[in-house]
Amino acid sequence: WADVTGSTPFIFAKAGAQFWTVTTTNQLLAPVWTVNSNTALTLGNASICIIRDITVNGTLAVTNGSTLVIKGSTIPISGNAGSITVANGSGFGGNGAIGARVTLLAGAFATNTIGFDSNGVPNTALTCTNTLALNGNTFKVDTGTNVLGGGDYLLITNIGSTITGSFATVPVIS
């Protein structure tokens, strides 16, 4: 899948309805993804996709133990009229921004890293600007090599829309 990695944006769908599946056993890095309307993109088989920005106007399914991590700006790319669904055993998170509707089905998890990255830059909360639907999901928090003091740490926020449901009462911290 050299097509979806590298330094140039990748657009799933050229014209008409298309179905794409990305499967990799390696960490898949891509700068910008666009999922056009009438397009279905599925991440499957334990793929780990770390992207800078994503525009979803179609549907994106995170399945089969895959994880989608957004590590971009705090303002999502314009558009995002589509939806992302995260299945049982799969994850979604990061410290960027997403404008698409996001649903974490029962058994799916959210993920974020708090503290500082390897360059000393502080990680931020994941920002959602459309609906976020939760179903008692676990939030996995990675502190990396950071030693954190007592206090409250913002992991996810929603601006401009709503969060329905709730996370599990106990996060997983590693």
Side-chain angles (χ1 to χ4, degrees), residues 70-74 94-96 112-126 142-143 146 148 153-155:
I70 300 168
K71 293 227 175 239
S73 67
T74 57
N95 58 8
N112 200 340
T113 301
I114 57 175
F116 296 88
D117 69 13
S118 60
N119 296 316
V121 177
N123 288 309
T124 60
L126 176 67
D142 180 6
T143 61
N146 299 287
L148 302 174
Y153 295 89
L154 182 62
L155 302 174

Side-chain angles (χ1 to χ4, degrees), residues 2-12 14 30-34 52-53 77:
D3 291 342
V4 295
T5 63
S7 59
T8 58
F10 190 84
I11 298 174
F12 293 91
K14 304 300 181 200
V32 178
W33 283 6
T34 301
R52 189 182 75 229
D53 287 304
I77 295 175

Side-chain angles (χ1 to χ4, degrees), residues 62 85-92 103-110 134-140 167:
V62 182
T85 302
V86 185
N88 178 17
S90 299
F92 173 80
T103 300
L104 276 70
L105 299 176
F109 64 89
L134 305 170
N135 288 282
N137 309 94
T138 297
F139 206 123
K140 295 184 178 182
F167 283 110

Side-chain angles (χ1 to χ4, degrees), residues 8-150:
T8 58
F10 190 84
I11 298 174
F12 293 91
K14 304 300 181 200
Q18 296 187 14
F19 298 90
W20 294 77
T21 299
V22 175
T23 301
T24 180
T25 56
N26 299 312
Q27 199 172 79
L28 182 62
L29 302 173
V32 178
W33 283 6
T34 301
V35 182
N36 286 339
S37 58
N38 299 318
T39 300
L41 172 64
T42 300
L43 304 181
N45 295 332
S47 300
I48 299 174
C49 299
I50 301 174
I51 57 177
R52 189 182 75 229
D53 287 304
I54 186 168
T55 299
V56 180
N57 288 312
T59 61
L60 185 135
V62 182
T63 64
N64 296 322
S66 295
T67 303
L68 176 65
V69 178
I70 300 168
K71 293 227 175 239
S73 67
T74 57
I75 300 172
I77 295 175
S78 62
N80 288 293
S83 62
I84 298 172
T85 302
V86 185
N88 178 17
S90 299
F92 173 80
N95 58 8
I98 183 67
R101 296 179 308 277
V102 178
T103 300
L104 276 70
L105 299 176
F109 64 89
T111 183
N112 200 340
T113 301
I114 57 175
F116 296 88
D117 69 13
S118 60
N119 296 316
V121 177
N123 288 309
T124 60
L126 176 67
T127 302
C128 297
T129 61
N130 208 321
T131 57
L132 173 63
L134 305 170
N135 288 282
N137 309 94
T138 297
F139 206 123
K140 295 184 178 182
V141 180
D142 180 6
T143 61
T145 60
N146 299 287
V147 176
L148 302 174

